[in-house]
């Protein structure tokens, strides 16, 4: 064996480390901090809607009353009280499950990391909507899983297309581990899977032996307040459900969860303990207070009202400023709309012109593992004020015309 | 291809999932919650030493003054202010590094997870002290890394033995990724690597192209208040340093960090973002307050004084109650002492008798990947009161004699 002393750190890394390289998307978030820049990029919740004085009081009380618990190591599963409260939250989407099936994590991103770690060997396939969440693609890449996309129309993934993709992958000898889906107000498309299609998607996956990972951070943020039943309700044994307090409360606490059948939940807990020992107990107790001693349903309605108005301002501005032949989705909840420019317009090139014009967004290619989405882009309307959204879309229109 | 619908969830898991199975150690922690049971098992810090009213005030103020920041997504690296404050903490061990080399994580357990994820392919070898931290063995197993132990004496690992192990592994064609070491008040042994040996260990690893992962949660908890210089000070480019606020402040916040050279730090951040997006911002801001607006050095001294007294009570009780031929370590800091019973006494069998007698501990086999430690056991003296430690060791002595 030759000496290895001359190897760089990068040379010594594991094969999977090739998946941890800086992406162009990361630069967008740095650029969005520049003065005068309007950001349509980041999907941050609009926290000024929270009554901060009450949250501050809550946190002080948690430490004054339960400080020794809040600051000590806790159960690797999460606190029993929060497990039970999460079950109450999920009831709004029709989910009936036992608290012990809930594994609490440091955000639902970590729940996806754990599920992928538990199920995916290198070369295994994950099926995902096209487009899908960029942070999920990062997780799959980190475990050397291949991603196959299923295109969406305005009702979500077409079950016939899902069946074709599964059959094609199996014919090619691939091992499919799960179908990753954001069924409500999809990030980045804003599209929701229609009620009619939900049963068929679940049936196909069950028949084909493909697990479903249902990622649902936005489900309770419907502009009309009507939550759709979760896929989990249709096949609890085959659907792992990921939930989060980041959008219905606050992301800075990092509290999310995964619901999984008992034979999986046990291993998820061991995997979770290997990663963080336990979720932040202080964060969990603050969330307990929020769900048990505060009108959190009213808070969700307050958030949704803000996002509905911002969505409408964005759609109006798109109608005024986009060139002919541009299409966009009309979300009924969540944080995002998805813009499709006429064929041949490269949104990475548009981005460079847009930054010159004082607006940033995330190009569509970021949400595809297969090079798709080059003439598409995501607009996040959750964080910027209505006037900023209007001005930002105007600048975007000018940038598109300049390319 | 045959249909996979009949496969159980476990059948479909990745190969690495075999590493996520319940271990006997887990049961010990459940048993330690039984009424009347004296626990010498868990390495929890003794939080009643903290002035809880002041911490509660701090947290309330953080939210009242900086609530929009505390509750929002933050930088994937951690906050810039905390990165800088962590550099101040590390100066106590002689470390001089730039804030941008600090990656903040949800506890140092997560830092170890990320380093292992970044470097270890299946079959790669991690060298570790024998015995070593059980939670580290879980991480290595989760990435299908093999573990080779280097035995310790009262001055830590013997550099000659380390050299032999490295040479032996290389002769066998193995790829060694790093030497994982807890150089100060090792968990579980309580042993520290002597100053004389530190340079040789660093030199050997540098010469052999083996990275060092220095895990140092206990380094500032020396009973005499004198911190040893970190291995990182001797070779910053080849030593990744893991630090934690769990023992010098509070574990329930889940704030730890890793210092790594810039070419590694960038990828660690991407890997960290894939796992949790960002560390809890609320927790980070509370830690900022603790380090910037509170006598944290005095708090460490207060913690250490409690642990020193408890350690002495434990050592006195061991002298009174252990059978002839029993050896134990004499720690000068940290949470643990390590007991070696006469050959042939199986501490897993002793554990069953001990539970009957009303005391639990962690058997030595838990801290070895190679079946070693069968006549050894760990005593944690950090959490139980002195009278409980005395009584617990007495019950342990009875249990040993009964086997």
């Amino acid at each position: 064996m030759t000496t290895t002393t001359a190897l760089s750190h990068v040379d010594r890394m594991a094969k999977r480390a090739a998946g941890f390289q800086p992406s162009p998307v990361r630069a967008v978030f740095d650029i969005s901090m520049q003065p005068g820049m309007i950001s349509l990029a980041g999907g941050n919740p609009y926290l000024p809607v929270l009554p901060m004085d009450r949250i501050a009081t809550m946190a002080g009380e948690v430490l004054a009353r339960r400080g020794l618990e809040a600051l000590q190591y806790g159960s690797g599963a999460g606190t029993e009280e929060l497990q039970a409260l999460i079950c109450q939250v999920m009831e709004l989407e029709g989910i009936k499950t036992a608290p012990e099936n809930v594994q609490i994590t440091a955000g639902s991103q970590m729940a996806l990391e754990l599920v992928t770690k538990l199920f995916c060997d290198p070369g295994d396939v994950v099926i995902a909507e096209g487009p899908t969440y960029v942070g999920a693609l990062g997780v799959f890449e980190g475990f050397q899983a291949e991603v196959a996309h299923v295109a969406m129309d305005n009702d979500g993934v077409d079950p016939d297309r899902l069946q074709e993709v599964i059959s094609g992958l199996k014919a090619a000898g691939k091992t499919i581990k799960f179908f990753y889906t954001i069924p409500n107000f999809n990030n980045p498309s804003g599209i929701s899977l229609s009620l009619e299609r939900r049963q068929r998607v679940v049936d196909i996956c069950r028949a084909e032996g493909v697990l479903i990972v249902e990622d649902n951070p936005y489900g309770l943020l419907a502009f009309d307040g009507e939550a759709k039943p979760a896929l989990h309700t249709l096949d609890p044994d085959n659907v792992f459900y990921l939930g989060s307090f980041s959008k219905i409360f606050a992301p800075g606490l990092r509290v999310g969860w995964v619901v999984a059948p008992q034979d999986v939940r046990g291993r998820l807990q061991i995997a979770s303990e290997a990663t963080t020992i336990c979720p932040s107990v202080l964060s969990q107790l603050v969330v307990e207070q929020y769900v048990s001693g505060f009108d959190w349903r009213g808070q969700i309605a307050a958030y949704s009202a803000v996002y509905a108005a911002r969505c409408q301002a964005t759609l109006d501005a798109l109608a005024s400023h986009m060139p002919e032949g541009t299409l966009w989705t009309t979300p009924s909840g969540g944080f995002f709309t998805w813009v499709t420019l006429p064929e041949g317009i490269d949104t990475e090139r548009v981005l460079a012109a847009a930054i010159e014009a004082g607006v940033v967004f995330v190009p569509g290619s970021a949400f595809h593992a297969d090079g798709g989405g080059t003439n598409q882009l995501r607009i996040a309307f959750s964080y910027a004020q209505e006037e900023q959204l209007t001005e930002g879309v105007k600048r975007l229109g000018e940038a598109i015309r300049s390319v």
Side-chain angles (χ1 to χ4, degrees), chain A:
Chain A
M1 186 169 177
T2 57
T3 176
T4 55
T5 49
L7 289 176
S8 74
H9 295 121
V10 172
D11 291 337
R12 301 182 205 184
M13 287 180 182
K15 292 190 184 73
R16 73 175 69 84
F20 300 131
Q21 299 205 51
S23 68
V25 183
R26 299 174 59 83
V28 167
F29 295 107
D30 288 338
I31 290 163
S32 69
M33 308 301 284
Q34 292 175 8
M37 192 65 67
I38 294 177
S39 178
L40 310 176
N44 284 11
Y46 189 68
L47 299 184
V49 180
L50 281 173
M52 198 57 73
D53 52 341
R54 287 206 53 194
I55 311 294
T57 306
M58 258 181 216
E61 283 176 3
V62 158
L63 281 168
R65 290 190 201 155
R66 301 171 72 186
L68 291 178
E69 181 185 359
L71 296 182
Q72 190 54 274
Y73 289 111
S75 162
T79 73
E80 287 184 16
E81 190 174 344
L82 187 55
Q83 286 178 306
L85 290 167
I86 284 170
C87 290
Q88 290 181 24
V89 173
M90 292 191 296
E91 278 178 19
L92 295 184
E93 295 175 328
I95 295 175
K96 293 191 197 323
T97 193
E100 61 263 30
N101 293 331
V102 176
Q103 170 67 46
I104 300 174
T105 53
S108 62
Q109 176 85 24
M110 179 172 154
L112 182 61
E113 164 88 8
L114 297 180
V115 169
T116 307
K117 187 177 181 189
L118 211 52
F119 281 91
C120 291
D121 282 312
D124 284 349
V125 177
V126 172
I127 299 175
E129 286 141 349
T132 192
Y133 170 47
V134 59
L137 293 176
V139 171
F140 304 147
E141 204 173 355
F143 288 103
Q144 299 161 276
E146 295 174 16
V147 175
H149 286 294
V150 182
M152 284 189 282
D153 60 26
N154 282 328
D155 290 322
V157 286
D158 179 339
D160 294 333
R161 284 289 304 135
L162 176 62
Q163 178 67 66
E164 281 171 35
V165 168
I166 292 172
S167 300
L169 288 165
K170 287 193 172 182
K174 296 285 189 182
T175 300
I176 306 167
K177 281 302 169 71
F178 54 81
F179 171 42
Y180 170 75
T181 175
I182 307 161
N184 298 309
F185 321 123
N186 171 281
N187 178 359
S189 74
I191 293 170
S192 294
L193 184 62
S194 68
L195 277 180
E196 304 75 53
R197 287 182 176 182
R198 292 187 181 223
Q199 186 68 55
R200 274 205 65 210
V201 165
V202 165
D203 289 345
I204 289 168
C205 288
R206 156 70 58 175
E208 294 286 355
V210 172
L211 297 165
I212 294 177
V213 177
E214 178 178 26
D215 191 3
N216 192 28
Y218 310 104
L220 295 180
L221 294 173
F223 298 151
D224 65 3
E226 294 290 320
K228 285 195 169 69
L231 299 180
H232 184 273
T233 64
L234 303 174
D235 195 355
D237 191 57
N238 202 53
V239 179
F240 302 166
Y241 176 95
L242 312 187
S244 172
F245 285 102
S246 291
K247 276 77 183 186
I248 61 173
F249 181 16
L253 300 167
R254 310 309 303 125
V255 180
W257 70 90
V258 47
V259 178
Q262 199 51 43
D263 56 343
V264 178
R265 233 286 287 150
R267 301 227 193 182
L268 277 175
Q269 181 169 337
I270 294 168
S272 187
E273 290 172 6
T275 303
T276 59
I277 302 185
C278 64
S280 163
V281 186
L282 175 61
S283 287
Q284 291 181 84
L285 298 197
V286 171
V287 174
E288 282 184 15
Q289 282 295 106
Y290 179 76
V291 181
S292 66
F294 182 78
D295 177 21
W296 59 276
R297 290 177 188 81
Q299 183 63 46
I300 289 173
Y303 272 133
S304 295
V306 169
Y307 301 140
R310 292 178 179 189
C311 181
Q312 192 56 53
T314 304
L315 298 178
D316 291 347
L318 286 167
S320 301
H321 300 295
M322 285 301 107
E324 204 179 341
T326 304
L327 302 171
W328 54 87
T329 59
T330 302
S332 52
F335 283 16
F336 307 107
T337 182
W338 181 244
V339 178
T340 302
L341 297 175
E343 287 280 341
I345 302 185
D346 178 347
T347 52
E348 292 192 24
R349 285 185 55 218
V350 171
L351 178 61
I355 290 167
E356 285 292 309
V359 63
V360 287
F361 59 83
V362 183
S365 55
F367 306 99
H368 291 81
D370 60 1
T374 55
N375 64 326
Q376 299 178 302
L377 62 90
R378 184 186 80 174
I379 292 179
F381 52 73
S382 56
Y383 194 72
Q385 314 264 0
E386 288 165 49
E387 314 81 67
Q388 286 180 295
L389 291 164
T390 304
E391 173 64 20
V393 171
K394 181 163 168 269
R395 292 181 189 176
L396 174 61
E398 290 159 8
I400 294 168
R401 286 190 181 81
S402 79
V403 171

